[in-house]
């Protein structure tokens, strides 16, 4: 069975919402600040669409044996003057998710490679993403793909 990574279509929405439901549930298990459930999955997809449209990005799905088993949401961004000029324009991975049944098969690496192809085609030399603290499986996958720590984001929830 051949893996195909292609732009998302309207017909993929139900499958992508299922993947985002898996993602939000996983992230909620790592952080009490994360929401989950069908409404959260729908909000994630709407946000991904809006950001991709506003920032020259796109949404991809990975298809295997006629079923959607992966999702990748990208947008173009520009970092401020504290980064060298040639590294400011970058592709940001807004969301990436692999179906639980396909984890460990290389599908995540294929989606990351798609993000790199999109970055090169867009004239960007950098791909960035965020990962939740405690998401060791994702962190290992990103490091395996050549990502290094770039910044640490911190938050304090106020009463």
């Amino acid at each position: 069975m051949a893996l195909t990574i292609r732009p998302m279509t309207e017909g993929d929405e139900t499958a992508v919402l299922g993947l985002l439901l898996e993602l939000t549930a996983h992230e909620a298990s790592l952080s009490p600040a994360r929401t989950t459930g069908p409404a959260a999955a729908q909000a994630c997809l709407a946000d991904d669409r809006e950001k991709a449209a506003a920032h020259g990005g796109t949404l991809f799905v990975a298809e295997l044996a006629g079923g959607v088993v992966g999702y990748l949401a990208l947008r173009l961004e520009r970092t401020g003057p504290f980064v060298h000029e040639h590294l400011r324009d970058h592709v940001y991975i807004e969301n990436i998710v692999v179906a639980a049944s396909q984890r460990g098969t290389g599908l995540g690496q294929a989606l990351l490679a798609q993000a790199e192809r999109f970055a090169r085609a867009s004239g960007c030399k950098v791909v960035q993403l965020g990962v939740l603290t405690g998401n060791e499986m994702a962190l290992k996958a990103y490091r395996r793909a050549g990502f290094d720590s770039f910044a640490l984001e911190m938050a304090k929830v106020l009463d």
Side-chain angles (χ1 to χ4, degrees):
M1 291 182 275
L3 175 70
T4 302
I5 298 177
R6 59 172 175 76
M8 181 183 165
T9 66
E10 290 300 318
D12 300 320
E13 185 169 326
T14 299
V16 168
L17 287 171
L19 292 170
L20 288 170
L21 187 59
E22 283 185 33
L23 177 65
T24 60
H26 175 66
E27 289 183 345
S29 75
L30 298 172
S31 170
R34 296 296 212 193
T35 61
T36 192
Q42 290 172 337
C44 283
L45 181 55
D47 188 60
D48 288 348
R49 284 180 167 147
E50 180 181 314
K51 288 177 178 173
H55 299 278
T58 194
L59 310 178
F60 290 101
V61 295
E63 187 176 48
L64 187 64
V68 173
V69 293
Y71 170 71
L72 176 67
L74 305 173
R75 70 176 193 257
L76 298 174
E77 288 291 327
R78 182 160 175 82
T79 303
F82 47 85
V83 173
H84 292 292
E85 176 66 37
H86 70 285
L87 300 175
R88 288 184 193 166
D89 291 323
H90 64 275
V91 168
Y92 188 81
I93 298 175
E94 188 65 37
N95 273 308
I96 182 171
V97 61
V98 172
S101 65
Q102 296 298 314
R103 292 188 189 136
T105 66
L107 179 63
Q109 296 298 308
L111 288 168
L112 291 169
Q114 179 64 36
E116 289 183 29
R117 285 189 294 277
F118 181 81
R120 285 186 176 93
S122 301
C124 297
K125 296 190 178 291
V126 177
V127 178
Q128 290 184 16
L129 55 77
V131 59
L132 281 178
T133 303
N135 195 348
E136 295 302 319
M137 183 174 61
L139 191 57
K140 286 178 187 175
Y142 300 146
R143 286 191 172 132
R144 193 169 43 253
F147 285 78
D148 287 318
S149 296
F150 177 72
L152 174 65
E153 291 186 24
M154 299 176 73
K156 179 180 179 180
V157 177
L158 305 176
D159 296 332

